[in-house]
Amino acid sequence: MAQWTSAVGAAQLARQLQAQQQRPAGPGSRRPPAYRALADGIRLLVLEGRVAVAARLPAERELAVALAVSRTTVAAAYEALRAEGFLESRRGAGSWTAIPAGNPLPARGLEPLPPEALGSMIDLGCASLPAPEPWLTRGVQGALEELPPYAHTHGDYPAGLPALRQMIADRYTAGGIPTMPEQIMVTTGAMGAIDAICHLFAGRGERIAVESPSYANILQLMREAGARLVPVAMEEGLGGWDLNRWRQVLRDAAPRLGYVVADFHNPTGALADEDRRRALVDAARSAGTVLVVDETMRELHLDEDVAMPRPVCAFDPAGSTVLTVGSASKAFWAGMRIGWVRAAPDVIRSLVAARAYADMGTPVLEQLAVNWLMRTGGWAEAVRLRREQARENRDALVAAVRRELPEWEFSVPAGGLTLWVRTGGLSGSRLAVAGEGVGVRVPSGPRFGVDGAFEGYVRLPFTVGGPVAEEAAQRLAQAARLVGAGAGAGMEAPRTFVA
């Protein structure tokens, strides 16, 4: 019986490997033999989680043709990977990826480290902050006081608690976008909302247009749903959407869905202005594309002079073209798994009906807590604290990175939780591997692209400040020196990770 559980095609693997070579490995680095470079590239893809463990690799001849190298080069690379424990083979079953003893399985997304590992590892992988106390405790206490009447019911509310649906609708209405509770479905986080939308609108093989770069976990969710991702390049820096490219993709590819983050885009931090919002909605409506707008970062404007544009749904108030996704995870706390969708009532009814075969509904106690916070003003106070903490962390991290890594380039966003950094010619994948060895966990750029794009970038979140930000920048600088000298590229890269 075969030991592999999935397969990667020769063309797909070749694209990912070639993307790693688009930027040089850094000054002073040694050029390895061709077979060694190929083995190192595959090993990095496995360690990054961009090629799954137990994935069947292409046959030697197929990969040699796709890469335009000799079969001997591929055979030598596979043999090197087998010797290092990153490949297993069996006659008749092929070769599949593996992880040697002592290395953890790579994360497919950006899962946070377990709390017990945080003492020795600085985690820059997860763009989430600790809970804004005392408001989490007060919200839960308020929810407990309001729980008894609900405890006498079945507790099954597929569309969400009526009180919270009304509260969220009222918040949109107060913001100038008239909304009925029938236009709201409460979900288990933003991921739950987008998963439900993808299953309803985009079956296997359907095209979804996505910003390039975009949020890694959403890209992976869409891949696993069987979608065909169509990347649309962002403008450089904080420019945001390139409307000419969006119009071309919407016209030529006719995607069923488009996924965008208009407010402090993850990972770049870009904020789309009103003209771009209006133009994108018009283009999507003309193309028959449903636009999924992720608003999870909207409340995290960090600079005092930020003039927030109207939400994208203001240009489609009925909710027939724009499906808006919100969440408590970024503005409040990631442990509060409450999200929501705003859309036309018929869309909400379809989402609710389809949900019966998924998670049935969102936990009642957490919904009561969010409703209590929004009703009493606790939400606004918690978000104010969140902004202050994120602003302080951002400023400390920016200063530390500029001091320790002056050759790295980035634009400082006015909000959100992430900094998108060009790494001065170094490989982001190699930096991620070397960083694990020196005690800092950082996601590389290719996690945020389609088919290995953005090798020369990393994402740094505003989750640490003060002395920890200083230490994180120093460890990143140490990792950069290792990559520049050849380590992290697979030649002398660490074989174990700091726990």
Side-chain angles (χ1 to χ4, degrees), residues 104-125:
L105 289 175
R108 290 295 290 172
L110 299 176
E111 291 82 358
L113 285 175
E116 61 269 16
L118 295 178
S120 57
M121 180 73 74
I122 298 176
D123 186 8
L124 298 181

Side-chain angles (χ1 to χ4, degrees), residues 21 56 72 74 90 98 103 107-108 137 177 197 216 231 260 264 303 329 355 366 386 391 404 436-437 443 472 489 493:
Q21 307 305 319
R56 186 181 186 276
T72 302
V74 177
R90 197 176 72 190
N103 281 339
R108 290 295 290 172
T137 299
I177 306 166
I197 291 169
V260 296
F264 310 119
D303 293 339
S329 296
R355 189 179 194 180
E366 293 181 9
R386 171 67 73 241
R391 184 187 308 117
E404 298 292 335
E436 294 268 7

Side-chain angles (χ1 to χ4, degrees), residues 312-334:
V312 178
C313 59
F315 306 102
D316 179 50
S320 57
T321 296
V322 176
L323 310 185
T324 302
V325 173
S327 172
S329 296
K330 301 298 184 183
F332 189 78
W333 183 48

Side-chain angles (χ1 to χ4, degrees), residues 158-159 185 187 192-193 195-202 346-361:
M185 181 177 84
T187 62
D195 182 61
I197 291 169
C198 287
H199 279 89
L200 180 63
F201 284 90
D346 62 315
V347 173
I348 295 297
R349 287 193 294 270
S350 296
L351 287 170
V352 171
R355 189 179 194 180
Y357 306 99
D359 64 355
M360 296 295 292

Side-chain angles (χ1 to χ4, degrees), residues 391-405 410-413 418-419 421 460-462 464 469-470 473:
R391 184 187 308 117
E392 292 173 0
N393 288 354
R394 179 196 64 181
D395 295 346
L397 186 65
V398 165
V401 172
R402 281 177 171 163
R403 181 170 53 255
E404 298 292 335
L405 293 150
F410 52 84
S411 299
V412 181
T418 58
L419 196 66
V421 181
L460 305 180
F462 310 146
V464 296
E470 297 278 350

Side-chain angles (χ1 to χ4, degrees), residues 162-238:
L164 182 55
R165 296 176 73 195
Q166 182 70 61
M167 178 63 66
I168 295 170
D170 289 347
R171 285 167 60 86
Y172 280 107
T173 300
I177 306 166
T179 303
M180 304 178 294
E182 291 80 7
Q183 290 179 264
I184 303 294
M185 181 177 84
V186 181
T187 62
T188 307
M191 292 286 287
I194 294 172
D195 182 61
I197 291 169
C198 287
H199 279 89
L200 180 63
F201 284 90
R204 299 193 69 84
E206 291 277 6
R207 295 183 180 92
I208 301 179
V210 296
E211 298 152 325
S212 183
S214 188
Y215 179 37
N217 286 341
I218 294 297
L219 294 180
Q220 188 59 33
L221 181 155
M222 292 174 174
R223 290 187 189 101
E224 293 182 356
R228 298 165 61 189
L229 302 185
V230 183
V232 186
M234 300 278 285
E235 292 185 354
E236 284 293 320
L238 300 177

